[in-house]
Amino acid sequence: MSDDPLRRSLLPTNSSPLERALDHGFARLLERIDPPFPELMNPVATPLAFLPYLAADRGVSEWSSAAPEAEKRLTVELAWPTARQAGTRKALENAAKGLQLRPEVRAWHEQTPPGPPYSFSVRAFTEQPYSEAIDARLDRRLADAKSERDTLTVSVGLSAFGRHVIGAATVCGELTTVYPIVIEGLEASGQAFKAAALYTVETSTIYPQGS
């Protein structure tokens, strides 16, 4: 077996014919393997089974193995931008976007009337099913994204379309936002209501985020 003159080898010049043959044979075997990079490190293209390891590599602290694939990939994709911009409006927005929410963030000086210094108002909207578990996950992500001195006022809105019955009363028409964080056990989805009217119910809650 002759060595390929274009192939580099780490064997010393005094290597035996058997050593050179093994080196050549293993090199041919390795050439059959398609290198997984750079797709392996790309959150959009990496295999689903590898996502938890890529999340750990990027320092993702809040992770749910039961989350949808799209959420997992978005969480990993936004991990580094969120960490680099921690303490800024963009980091808070990314924290909510990773859970497939649509955030609206206002600093204290942008509010009417102005809020306490170094506070943010975070409103997040979704048409996906929402529950207390997701609300707790959002709290953890926001806590990681804010600075130590910041306090947050958080509200989550759920828009739904159609006609819905609560107890004995039927509610329909057009309002603004659902805040399921104040209704224990509520789970709803904007995809579940397909009648003609826009239906929403509005409540509100405000609570500070601990540092």
Side-chain angles (χ1 to χ4, degrees), residues 193-209:
F193 307 95
K194 298 185 181 296
L198 169 65
Y199 157 76
T200 56
V201 174
E202 184 175 274
T203 63
S204 63
T205 188
I206 296 177
Y207 58 94
Q209 285 285 98

Side-chain angles (χ1 to χ4, degrees), residues 4 45 84 86 90-91 99 114 118 124 136 139 154-155 159 175-176 208:
D4 184 352
R84 284 196 300 264
K90 190 64 176 178
L99 289 172
Y118 309 115
D139 285 346
V154 184
S155 58
S159 296
L175 298 173
T176 53

Side-chain angles (χ1 to χ4, degrees), residues 2-28 30-31:
S2 60
D3 290 337
D4 184 352
L6 298 179
R7 187 178 64 82
R8 301 289 182 178
S9 175
L10 297 178
L11 292 177
T13 55
N14 62 344
S15 58
S16 67
L18 177 60
E19 289 172 332
R20 291 193 296 272
L22 290 173
D23 178 58
H24 183 79
F26 282 121
R28 295 291 298 272
L30 290 175
E31 288 172 1

Side-chain angles (χ1 to χ4, degrees), residues 104 121-125 130 135 138 153-157 177-179 181 203-207:
E104 179 185 293
S121 170
V122 181
R123 301 182 69 188
F125 302 89
Y130 196 84
D135 183 62
L138 175 61
T153 300
V154 184
S155 58
V156 179
T177 312
V178 172
Y179 293 98
I181 54 177
T203 63
S204 63
T205 188
I206 296 177
Y207 58 94

Side-chain angles (χ1 to χ4, degrees), residues 104-168:
E104 179 185 293
V105 180
R106 289 187 178 182
W108 63 275
H109 55 83
E110 298 172 325
Q111 302 171 28
T112 306
Y118 309 115
S119 67
F120 284 90
S121 170
V122 181
R123 301 182 69 188
F125 302 89
T126 180
E127 294 180 359
Q128 303 296 323
Y130 196 84
S131 66
E132 290 183 353
I134 299 178
D135 183 62
R137 296 180 61 203
L138 175 61
D139 285 346
R140 291 195 294 270
R141 293 195 181 199
L142 290 174
D144 290 339
K146 74 180 187 68
S147 67
E148 289 295 324
R149 70 182 181 182
D150 290 338
T151 58
L152 305 181
T153 300
V154 184
S155 58
V156 179
L158 176 62
S159 296
F161 295 88
R163 184 181 181 90
H164 191 50
V165 178
I166 301 178

Side-chain angles (χ1 to χ4, degrees), residues 9-100:
S9 175
L10 297 178
L11 292 177
T13 55
N14 62 344
S15 58
S16 67
L18 177 60
E19 289 172 332
R20 291 193 296 272
L22 290 173
D23 178 58
H24 183 79
F26 282 121
R28 295 291 298 272
L29 290 175
L30 290 175
E31 288 172 1
R32 300 178 187 176
I33 302 174
D34 293 328
F37 297 96
E39 289 80 7
L40 190 66
M41 305 302 290
N42 183 350
V44 177
T46 195
L48 178 59
F50 190 72
L51 275 173
Y53 304 101
L54 190 55
D57 176 72
R58 300 196 175 189
V60 175
S61 59
E62 199 292 309
W63 181 262
S64 173
S65 58
E69 178 180 344
E71 178 190 309
K72 292 179 178 179
R73 293 188 183 278
L74 189 57
T75 294
V76 176
E77 183 179 358
L78 294 175
W80 280 349
T82 302
R84 284 196 300 264
Q85 298 171 315
T88 67
R89 179 200 307 270
K90 190 64 176 178
L92 296 175
E93 290 175 347
N94 285 341
K97 287 179 180 178
L99 289 172
Q100 298 182 292

